Amino acid sequence: MPSLLFCGPKLAACGIVLSIWGVIMLSMLGIFFSAKSAVLIEDVPFTEEDIRDDKNPPGNIYGLYNQVGINCFIAAAIYVGVGAVSLCQVRLNKRQEYMVT
Amino acid sequence: MSSLFRSEEMCLVQLFFQTESAHNCINELGRLGLVQFKDLNPGVTAFQRRFVKEVKKCEEMERILRYLQKEMVKSNIGIVATKKKEMVPCARDVLELESTFEKLEQELREINRNHATLRQNLIELTDIDSLLRMTEDFFEEAESLLTCSELPSEDSVSMTVSSHITSRRNSNSSTSGALHLSFIAGVIKQERFPAFEKVLWRLFHGNFVLRHAEIQATEELQAVRGAVKKDVFIIFVQGEHVREKIRKVCEGFRASLYSCPKTLFERKQMSNNVMSQMEDLRMILRRTEEYRAGVLTRAAEHVQEWAGKVKKMKAIYYTLNLCNIDITQKLIVAEIWCPVSDLALVQNALIKGSEQSGSSVTPVLNRIQTQQTPPTFNRTNTFTEGFQAIIDAYGVGTYQEINPAPYTIVTFPFLFAVMFGDCGHGLLMTLFAVWLISQAESLRKLKNELTDVVVGGRYIVLLMGMFSIYTGLIYNDCFSKSFNIFGSSWRVRPMFQPHGPWRNETLREHHHLQLNPFVAGVYSGNPYVFGIDPIWNIASNKLSFLNSFKMKMSVMLGVSHMLFGLTLSLVNFAHFRKFQDVVLQFVPQLIFMLSLFGYLIFLILYKWCITLRSESAPSILLLFINMMLFDYQSEYKLLYAGQKGVQIFLVVTAMLMVPVLLLVKPFLIYRTRMKTRRQVFGNNLNDQHETDTRSSISQHQKDEMTSMGDVFVYQAIHTIEFCLGCISNTASYLRLWALSLAHAELSEVLWRMVLQVGLKISSGTGSLVLVLLFAAFSVLTVAILLVMEGLSAFLHALRLHWVEFQNKFYEGSGYKFTPLSFDNLLKTQQ
């Protein structure tokens, strides 16, 4: 089985740090979007029509908020995957260090 | 007592100890690390000192150690890290170690020489071997040439050649009788061969036959001689004279020539000889390498220990050089600076040292009074070390002056945080600092200068991060977004009918609308509980509000910081008993500062507390400028009744302080000098030697006159520096506003241009784009906002401390206490 190692120890460590940060920050963003926080209004892609032609105000905007929130959660989940891969790389790097010396 | 508040009280102590116990005593003092030896022989050059031979011996030993270490690194032998043992070097050890080192060095050098010679021999033998093998074909050819020469020689003979041969020169052999071809065989570097061939061709015009072939590089050959490519060549020539010339050419090209026997049988014999010799040589080489490795491994176990011992001995001899040896050669006198509170420890160390050396007489400590300035010693622990270092970087404090370090522990991270102010970045910085603290030991081992600096400042980074989280919560800024924890105090709904003026059409007509706090219900009347209201984050006139707020805050922080510095100067005056200065310097400075800038702060706070309509609110800046210009007829209203009178009074008071600062002190000095001179003059009138005294008095007068001018000039400079400096330093604190604005804007730009692009994609692919953009966002955050802005804010906060804060009270003209400490020595070695 060919070696699964494709990045050095430093890149793997950076990967772990980035993944942890990504998971925490993106999941918190997801929570805040789902809570329809007003501070994040500029990050929601609404248009004039969404406001004007809304049958059930502010249902459209709330729907958009939810969509962005779900996107954030999915991104957080992807970062969990990235973190797991980085963790594997770190472990493999450590094992290789062991074997050489 | 008084650990970090003020530098320690030091005393000059004379030590007397016996020459035999000198080593042990100094060793004990070095382990203690609390005394600084004074140089008692300042006029003596380094080569005239008493122990210069011993110091040279130690340096020679260090050189040998370095050589040993280099050899060990070359042979990949690991240097064993020794545990810290209590190594007590004494005079005997010096000789012992010296002989050991010399022996080791000689042995190692001999081994290396032999190794080199053996290797050279092996190379030669391998060359001969390849030569013999490859010239088989050449000789066959030569023999056929010889037979061919009896045939008509006009035809140029072309021969089929073996596959090795790549070039060939043939010559029309002019024949007269039987040909007697002699040959020269050798080995030359491949890169030199073309030039070699050309030279031969030019010299002999083709009257020779040259064959060459490349030596195939086998693994073993590469290991022995490296990756140099060599060619075997053989030249067939006629005549001895030509042979000599060719030999010279070969020597010029550094080709090695070997004698090659003519007959096949002899060649085979020689080949066998060479093979067996090579085998022998290889075995000998292996044995030599093993022996060398053994010697080095044995030495490697002790190398660190020896290095430590040698360093200590060198330090001890260097210290002994600083002392005085009295005439009887039995007593050593040393003068040391040591903290008063540690005298008992020093005494104990000396007693222990003399006991160890077995001498009967205990060393004597004799404290002496002196007019010289002692060194400045601030006792620090790992936490305060970093802060003391950044203070000392600007100037080491004068002896017994107030130490700004304990206040810097709080004010420096705080001013940094005012400029950095972001919870998210502060949190990242704190986590980084925690990681640094936990990995401090292993990071120190890397011995990289940059990491050493960062590790040394790990506690500073930790405090900076924690304070940044606090100011981030106050600015309500986390990665450029605000938290709405307590509920905003502003409401939009009351702006609509029937409470307020807005209708649905208002929304459609205007792009920007302004919330009017005077409409009932819009502003709840209670400000946000902690920090800036989150509604400002989504307001488009956020910057107008924040700029005004941050500028006023910066000025307030600045004036408070400077007043604090001024108060510290009072403490200094009290300690040094300069009560005259308290009245003549501290009080006028304080009044000047308070009446102008203290009043400014009062105006700021007052304006914040009262309710004003924003259209008619007077600008504080203009109020202040008009106050200084005594301009009261402009249409700007005043903030409170009676303001005109108060302001005139304050400005006049401040202006009166200036001549007080400028003139009173020099005038008092002048008066005291006059008084002493009159006294001296009066006494001298009763003497008989009038002429002498008069001339000496006029001399005295002249000295005083010049220094009187100096006093005035010095005071003038000081006054101007303080008064003008007040204004410029206060304005300098506005950098607190500037940098925090820059940081907030950079943070917002990063969010808007990087992360928001990913967030605004609402379809499914948005999450993938978000993943990539988040990675970019985090890298840029770390690189730009944490590293660049962090360094920038660090630098500016440091400058504010060094210049604006410390020029109110700090003199900084001392010299640092550098004790003889083996811990420090060995730490620099590791």
Side-chain angles (χ1 to χ4, degrees):
Chain A
M1 168 149 151
S3 162
L4 291 171
L5 199 68
F6 57 85
C7 54
K10 290 198 182 117
L11 187 58
C14 284
I16 287 194
V17 168
L18 181 65
S19 319
I20 297 179
W21 182 5
V23 167
I24 297 180
M25 186 157 164
L26 284 170
S27 48
M28 288 194 70
L29 266 183
I31 295 177
F32 286 131
F33 272 114
S34 308
K36 327 269 189 315
S37 139
V39 171
L40 295 170
I41 187 74
E42 279 149 13
D43 300 323
V44 174
F46 64 86
T47 57
E48 273 297 311
E49 292 83 39
D50 281 330
I51 301 182
R52 239 183 300 128
D53 312 327
D54 202 351
K55 303 285 188 318
N56 206 7
N60 275 355
I61 310 275
Y62 276 14
L64 281 171
Y65 260 111
N66 281 333
Q67 271 183 6
V68 183
I70 290 179
N71 271 350
C72 285
F73 283 126
I74 298 177
I78 296 180
Y79 265 112
V80 169
V82 172
V85 168
S86 297
L87 195 63
C88 281
Q89 294 298 312
V90 166
R91 287 238 190 89
L92 282 176
N93 267 311
K94 283 231 171 76
R95 214 187 297 164
Q96 208 185 47
E97 242 179 60
Y98 244 35
M99 292 202 306
V100 167
T101 56
Chain B
M1 74 131 314
S2 74
S3 47
L4 211 50
F5 180 66
R6 203 185 278 287
S7 70
E8 299 246 343
E9 196 185 337
M10 312 289 279
C11 55
L12 189 62
V13 177
Q14 257 182 343
L15 294 177
F16 301 92
F17 41 81
Q18 283 188 313
T19 326
E20 295 95 41
S21 55
H23 266 278
N24 290 75
C25 290
I26 299 188
N27 181 43
E28 285 297 320
L29 287 177
R31 279 204 13 239
L32 203 57
L34 280 175
V35 304
Q36 175 178 348
F37 282 83
K38 223 169 80 133
D39 192 358
L40 288 176
N41 313 313
V44 181
T45 64
F47 295 105
Q48 289 168 341
R49 294 196 187 248
R50 195 172 170 274
F51 290 96
V52 70
K53 258 193 322 211
E54 281 83 355
V55 173
K56 277 207 190 119
K57 264 194 263 182
C58 288
E59 286 186 349
E60 177 70 20
M61 285 197 274
E62 277 185 341
R63 183 192 63 81
I64 297 179
L65 275 175
R66 274 198 300 270
Y67 172 66
L68 281 176
Q69 276 172 336
K70 223 170 34 175
E71 290 292 317
M72 283 181 212
V73 166
K74 245 197 289 182
S75 340
N76 292 333
I77 295 183
I79 299 180
V80 176
T82 53
K83 299 178 283 290
K84 276 211 158 218
K85 283 187 286 191
E86 289 307 321
M87 313 172 245
V88 182
C90 57
R92 277 196 317 273
D93 283 356
V94 181
L95 296 170
E96 203 181 298
L97 273 180
E98 204 187 339
S99 57
T100 321
F101 283 7
E102 270 175 22
K103 242 191 333 195
L104 259 179
E105 190 195 5
Q106 255 180 3
E107 224 180 322
L108 213 56
R109 281 200 199 276
E110 212 176 303
I111 295 177
N112 281 349
R113 253 198 316 264
N114 292 345
H115 190 83
T117 328
L118 288 173
R119 196 172 260 208
Q120 193 60 28
N121 287 351
L122 189 60
I123 290 177
E124 272 183 26
L125 286 177
T126 36
D127 285 346
I128 294 181
D129 186 45
S130 337
L131 185 72
L132 285 175
R133 265 185 280 129
M134 291 187 188
T135 49
E136 282 308 312
D137 302 317
F138 298 159
F139 277 119
E140 280 170 24
E141 215 196 313
E143 262 144 46
S144 57
L145 255 184
L146 265 178
T147 51
C148 269
S149 70
E150 275 135 30
L151 299 170
S153 50
E154 284 81 25
D155 320 323
S156 54
V157 186
S158 63
M159 311 273 299
T160 53
V161 298
S162 66
S163 55
H164 291 303
I165 296 178
T166 53
S167 92
R168 164 183 176 274
R169 293 268 182 282
N170 203 350
S171 69
N172 267 332
S173 42
S174 57
T175 57
S176 55
L179 274 178
H180 174 64
L181 281 180
S182 56
F183 62 90
I184 298 175
V187 174
I188 188 174
K189 278 204 190 143
Q190 193 174 54
E191 59 209 11
R192 294 208 180 123
F193 185 76
F196 181 57
E197 204 178 347
K198 272 205 200 100
V199 166
L200 283 179
W201 188 245
R202 286 222 189 93
L203 273 180
F204 301 116
H205 308 292
N207 271 342
F208 63 95
V209 175
L210 171 69
R211 297 276 188 273
H212 84 288
E214 185 180 327
I215 299 184
Q216 309 290 18
T218 62
E219 286 271 332
E220 193 211 344
L221 282 183
Q222 275 199 329
V224 164
R225 75 150 77 96
V228 180
K229 287 210 173 116
K230 289 201 179 167
D231 275 5
V232 167
F233 67 90
I234 183 163
I235 310 177
F236 294 97
V237 286
Q238 194 184 13
E240 280 308 312
H241 189 55
V242 185
R243 215 182 134 93
E244 277 314 304
K245 275 201 202 160
I246 292 188
R247 203 180 281 276
K248 286 221 177 79
V249 172
C250 291
E251 271 169 31
F253 275 90
R254 307 267 171 86
S256 17
L257 298 173
Y258 303 110
S259 60
C260 205
K262 294 207 180 73
T263 63
L264 191 63
F265 177 65
E266 277 176 23
R267 281 204 292 275
K268 283 257 180 332
Q269 224 183 19
M270 190 166 168
S271 184
N272 290 336
N273 272 351
V274 164
M275 286 289 196
S276 58
Q277 271 182 356
M278 271 169 51
E279 271 310 310
D280 287 340
L281 261 184
R282 282 200 197 102
M283 196 176 62
I284 296 179
L285 264 178
R286 252 200 313 268
R287 287 283 168 78
T288 316
E289 276 166 12
E290 277 169 19
Y291 181 57
R292 183 164 169 268
V295 165
L296 282 178
T297 325
R298 270 196 309 274
E301 290 167 17
H302 298 289
V303 137
Q304 285 240 341
E305 189 189 324
W306 286 339
K309 266 196 187 168
V310 168
K311 250 200 147 79
K312 276 191 185 179
M313 282 196 281
K314 190 164 151 203
I316 291 181
Y317 278 119
Y318 187 73
T319 316
L320 277 174
N321 271 340
L322 298 173
C323 310
N324 256 339
I325 313 264
D326 84 319
I327 307 181
T328 61
Q329 304 282 341
K330 283 250 171 221
L331 201 61
I332 296 188
V333 181
E335 269 184 25
I336 55 168
W337 291 109
C338 100
V340 168
S341 45
D342 288 329
L343 270 178
L345 281 172
V346 174
Q347 181 97 352
N348 286 345
L350 282 175
I351 294 178
K352 206 161 68 166
S354 65
E355 270 173 23
Q356 274 177 0
S357 70
S359 86
S360 48
V361 182
T362 52
V364 175
L365 244 76
N366 181 22
R367 184 169 165 182
I368 51 182
Q369 303 293 334
T370 173
Q371 293 292 345
Q372 300 162 6
T373 332
T376 315
F377 177 47
N378 287 307
R379 224 181 275 267
T380 53
N381 53 29
T382 20
F383 178 65
T384 52
E385 217 176 7
F387 296 100
Q388 189 65 47
I390 59 179
I391 298 285
D392 284 342
Y394 191 61
V396 179
T398 322
Y399 178 61
Q400 290 258 287
E401 189 182 38
I402 280 265
N403 185 15
Y407 321 109
T408 310
I409 298 180
V410 173
T411 55
F412 176 73
F414 181 68
L415 287 184
F416 172 88
V418 169
M419 292 192 266
F420 199 68
D422 188 312
C423 312
H425 302 147
L427 185 65
L428 289 173
M429 197 176 255
T430 317
L431 292 174
F432 174 63
V434 167
W435 176 77
L436 266 184
I437 294 175
S438 65
Q439 299 289 313
E441 285 307 316
S442 48
L443 282 174
R444 277 235 172 84
K445 289 213 182 83
L446 290 176
K447 266 195 266 208
N448 184 4
E449 222 180 278
L450 199 59
T451 48
D452 267 347
V453 168
V454 176
V455 170
R458 57 198 189 278
Y459 287 107
I460 307 182
V461 178
L462 176 70
L463 281 187
M464 292 189 327
M466 296 201 304
F467 277 71
S468 298
I469 300 181
Y470 170 73
T471 52
L473 286 173
I474 294 221
Y475 291 154
N476 215 346
D477 193 0
C478 174
F479 293 112
S480 84
K481 298 285 168 194
S482 295
F483 288 120
N484 186 3
I485 311 178
F486 304 105
S488 171
S489 308
W490 292 71
R491 297 255 172 286
V492 182
R493 188 168 284 271
M495 282 301 287
F496 288 92
Q497 305 262 324
H499 300 271
W502 292 356
R503 292 191 309 272
N504 276 348
E505 293 82 44
T506 333
L507 289 181
R508 261 173 260 141
E509 288 158 18
H510 296 103
H511 274 268
H512 287 269
L513 290 166
Q514 197 171 51
L515 294 178
N516 187 354
F518 284 108
V519 172
V522 172
Y523 178 60
S524 70
N526 305 318
Y528 190 67
V529 175
F530 183 77
I532 296 204
D533 202 304
I535 197 167
W536 286 107
N537 192 283
I538 46 180
S540 53
N541 60 345
K542 158 170 84 156
L543 281 182
S544 325
F545 167 67
L546 280 182
N547 281 350
S548 157
F549 163 72
K550 284 184 183 172
M551 278 202 220
K552 292 177 181 171
M553 168 196 77
S554 311
V555 169
M556 285 202 288
L557 284 176
V559 175
S560 327
H561 204 207
M562 289 196 287
L563 281 175
F564 177 56
L566 210 53
T567 327
L568 286 181
S569 78
L570 173 69
V571 180
N572 259 344
F573 290 145
H575 179 85
F576 289 117
R577 304 270 182 271
K578 289 199 214 155
F579 292 115
Q580 206 186 42
D581 274 342
V582 174
V583 178
L584 296 176
Q585 196 146 310
F586 171 71
V587 170
Q589 282 180 344
L590 189 68
I591 294 182
F592 183 83
M593 203 160 200
L594 278 179
S595 56
L596 290 179
F597 295 99
Y599 180 65
L600 178 64
I601 295 189
F602 165 74
L603 280 180
I604 295 176
L605 288 172
Y606 185 74
K607 189 174 171 193
W608 272 349
C609 292
I610 60 176
T611 320
L612 291 170
R613 299 201 78 90
S614 49
E615 302 86 39
S616 56
S619 148
I620 290 193
L621 191 60
L622 288 174
L623 277 178
F624 196 65
I625 294 177
N626 287 339
M627 166 171 124
M628 300 303 287
L629 296 177
F630 290 104
D631 177 11
Y632 290 106
Q633 60 254 46
S634 61
E635 49 286 349
Y636 267 104
K637 294 204 301 203
L638 301 175
L639 271 181
Y640 57 93
Q643 186 172 354
K644 181 168 169 187
V646 169
Q647 282 183 184
I648 295 182
F649 167 70
L650 285 175
V651 177
V652 168
T653 318
M655 298 232 259
L656 279 179
M657 289 299 129
V658 174
V660 168
L661 272 175
L662 193 57
L663 296 172
V664 177
K665 185 164 159 191
F667 182 63
L668 281 179
I669 293 179
Y670 179 70
R671 239 186 28 181
T672 37
R673 286 221 185 134
M674 278 306 195
K675 237 192 277 180
T676 47
R677 212 169 347 124
R678 246 178 271 132
Q679 276 179 355
V680 165
F681 199 57
N683 286 344
N684 283 338
L685 273 181
N686 304 332
D687 280 354
Q688 299 304 315
H689 315 283
E690 277 190 5
T691 42
D692 290 317
T693 50
R694 222 171 280 149
S695 55
S696 73
I697 285 172
S698 57
Q699 185 76 14
H700 210 50
Q701 232 171 351
K702 265 190 225 115
D703 293 331
E704 276 181 8
M705 272 313 152
T706 46
S707 54
M708 209 55 231
D710 270 350
V711 169
F712 269 107
V713 169
Y714 173 75
Q715 196 64 23
I717 293 178
H718 191 86
T719 309
I720 294 177
E721 190 192 343
F722 179 76
C723 296
L724 291 181
C726 256
I727 306 175
S728 78
N729 291 347
T730 309
S732 180
Y733 275 95
L734 282 174
R735 72 186 69 217
L736 295 174
W737 156 66
L739 262 93
S740 81
L741 177 68
H743 190 96
E745 287 302 299
L746 271 177
S747 180
E748 188 172 326
V749 159
L750 205 55
W751 180 282
R752 189 170 303 170
M753 303 244 152
V754 180
L755 206 55
Q756 204 177 68
V757 175
L759 290 172
K760 281 216 156 160
I761 305 176
S762 57
S763 64
T765 58
S767 40
L768 289 170
V769 177
L770 191 57
V771 167
L772 297 169
L773 283 179
F774 180 81
F777 171 77
S778 61
V779 167
L780 285 173
T781 299
V782 169
I784 298 181
L785 287 170
L786 284 185
V787 171
M788 188 184 87
E789 278 287 317
L791 280 176
S792 171
F794 180 94
L795 185 73
H796 284 286
L798 200 57
R799 173 251 154 75
L800 282 177
H801 276 77
W802 279 353
V803 178
E804 275 81 12
F805 175 57
Q806 283 181 347
N807 74 1
K808 301 285 178 291
F809 68 98
Y810 195 59
E811 242 179 275
S813 55
Y815 62 104
K816 208 168 159 66
F817 178 64
T818 42
L820 172 72
S821 161
F822 289 151
D823 288 329
N824 288 350
L825 266 181
L826 292 176
K827 226 192 292 181
T828 51
Q829 174 210 4
Q830 281 340 4

